[in-house]
Amino acid sequence: MEDEEDCPELVPITDITQDEKKIPVTIITGYLGAGKTTLLNYILTEQHNKRIAVIINEFGEGSAVEKSLAISQAGELYEEWLELRNGCLCCSVKDNGLKAIENLMQKKGKFDYILLETTGLADPGAVASMFWVDAELGSDIYLDGIVSVVDAKYALQHIQEEKPEGLINEAARQVALADVLIINKTDLVSEEKLDAVRSAVSFINGFVKILETQRSRVDLMDILDLHAFDSLSGRSLQDKLVTSTGHPHLDKSIVTVTFEVPGSISEENLNLFIQNLLWEKNVINMTGNAMEVIRLKGLVSVTDKPQQVILQGVHELYDLEETQISWQDSNDSRVNRMVFIGRHLDKKILVQLFRSAMKS
Ligand SMILES: Nc1nc2c(ncn2[C@@H]2O[C@H](COP(=O)(O)OP(=O)(O)OP(=O)(O)O)[C@@H](O)[C@H]2O)c(=O)[nH]1
Ligand SMILES: [Zn+2]
């Protein structure tokens, strides 16, 4: 009979969702040696009012000992959760962070934020995706944002490095996926160099918020609680679209493309449009290359839906979510606003395809 007390019927579903506080996760990514661990160390030793759980990736063998020394101060590598003086929790792992997060969930209540460092060569998109595919994880935590750290001295070199045909440069990919970008080690470069890094980065990702640091010293407020994936309100996206400058198309590099098309699209056609792009990869540009979308964001008007719908995509995965805002209440008449970050993107073709998907 005890089981019946937990029966879902006894508790209104709305109460469950309101009571369950999901824990935000921020992914810290960036090229080898850019300053990710320095950032996490800084956060772990600063006084702040958050209880942050940090997962540090120790993939690069060389620096592993040095890092753990810095944090544990015991000179030992550890894989268990370690409680620090300022209330934070820390764990270093050798493989992917998923297992560490699962272990961490057993300590629920001891922390209210998770920071996850990916290895320097990791594709943060794959890590981000895991929050969408793992339903069990998804009920406890949510992805708040992706922070990328670049090395001011080597960023240009890393970003511009040519990869063999078909491969995307991972440094550029990390910039493309970032919600916040930290240009670290500014002490090592001239103002001119810093300018060049700044423009290279905004060329790739027209929406990224840029911070410039030494020793990864950031204001926590600038990197936490971004709600980059859940509260992309119609207004903020519109503001972004208005202020963004059109970036010229350049083959072989990652660029940002945005458009706005008034009207509505059926859910079915919207899914087809996205799937052709993300899954089938059969959308071709003028030079015959398949468009490759790394990051996709949108505010769409779906036929027969009174609410605004938010579209979020990272690589092959995407998600359509109805917002609380209905089109009637907002001052906007129905319009679709889309942002694509990726390679071989052609705005004209994307708009044409979207328009024809609206008609059919
Ligand atoms: N000059 C200078 N050095 C820095 C700065 N920030 C970090 N470093 C140094 O850069 C090196 C790499 O920093 P980490 O924080 O370990 O970099 P990481 O991104 O975690 O490196 P991986 O985990 O190997 O990818 C360390 O020796 C740091 O002390 C900075 O602002 N200026
Ligand atoms: Zn690191």
Side-chain angles (χ1 to χ4, degrees), residues 36-38 56-57 63 67 117-118:
K36 301 179 291 295
T37 308
T38 305
I56 294 174
N57 229 305
S63 49
K67 276 177 210 162
E117 177 189 355
T118 70

Side-chain angles (χ1 to χ4, degrees), residues 55-59 79 81 91-103 116-119 122-123 126-127 130 134 137:
I55 300 168
I56 294 174
N57 229 305
E58 300 292 7
F59 213 68
E79 294 190 36
W81 286 94
C91 172
S92 83
V93 290
K94 287 219 173 64
D95 45 26
N96 76 54
L98 189 59
K99 194 83 208 298
I101 292 182
E102 280 168 0
N103 288 337
L116 174 66
E117 177 189 355
T118 70
T119 61
D123 172 5
V127 182
M130 117 195 151
D134 193 319
L137 264 188

Side-chain angles (χ1 to χ4, degrees), residues 177-193:
L177 281 167
D179 298 299
V180 172
L181 189 111
I182 299 175
I183 303 179
N184 187 39
K185 309 197 190 182
T186 55
D187 55 308
L188 300 180
V189 294
S190 64
E191 192 55 46
E192 290 73 38
K193 176 87 174 202

Side-chain angles (χ1 to χ4, degrees), residues 277-288:
L277 207 55
L278 303 189
W279 298 359
E280 310 298 334
K281 300 196 192 327
N282 60 10
V283 180
I284 310 297
N285 72 4
M286 301 291 272
T287 53

Side-chain angles (χ1 to χ4, degrees), residues 107-153:
K107 296 190 186 292
K108 243 184 191 168
K110 288 200 162 188
F111 59 92
D112 22 53
Y113 212 102
I114 302 175
L115 292 179
L116 174 66
E117 177 189 355
T118 70
T119 61
L121 292 173
D123 172 5
V127 182
S129 305
M130 117 195 151
F131 297 100
W132 289 350
V133 268
D134 193 319
E136 207 178 315
L137 264 188
S139 64
D140 283 333
I141 61 184
Y142 70 89
L143 180 59
D144 181 71
I146 301 177
V147 175
S148 293
V149 187
V150 300
D151 183 321
K153 191 165 159 102

Side-chain angles (χ1 to χ4, degrees), residues 102 273 329:
E102 280 168 0
F273 171 82
D329 305 343

Side-chain angles (χ1 to χ4, degrees), residues 330-348:
S330 81
N331 292 324
D332 307 325
S333 44
R334 285 176 171 262
V335 62
N336 302 279
R337 305 190 176 97
M338 307 282 278
V339 179
F340 306 81
I341 300 177
R343 204 159 64 140
H344 304 306
L345 301 180
D346 185 309
K347 178 171 175 168
K348 232 172 127 186

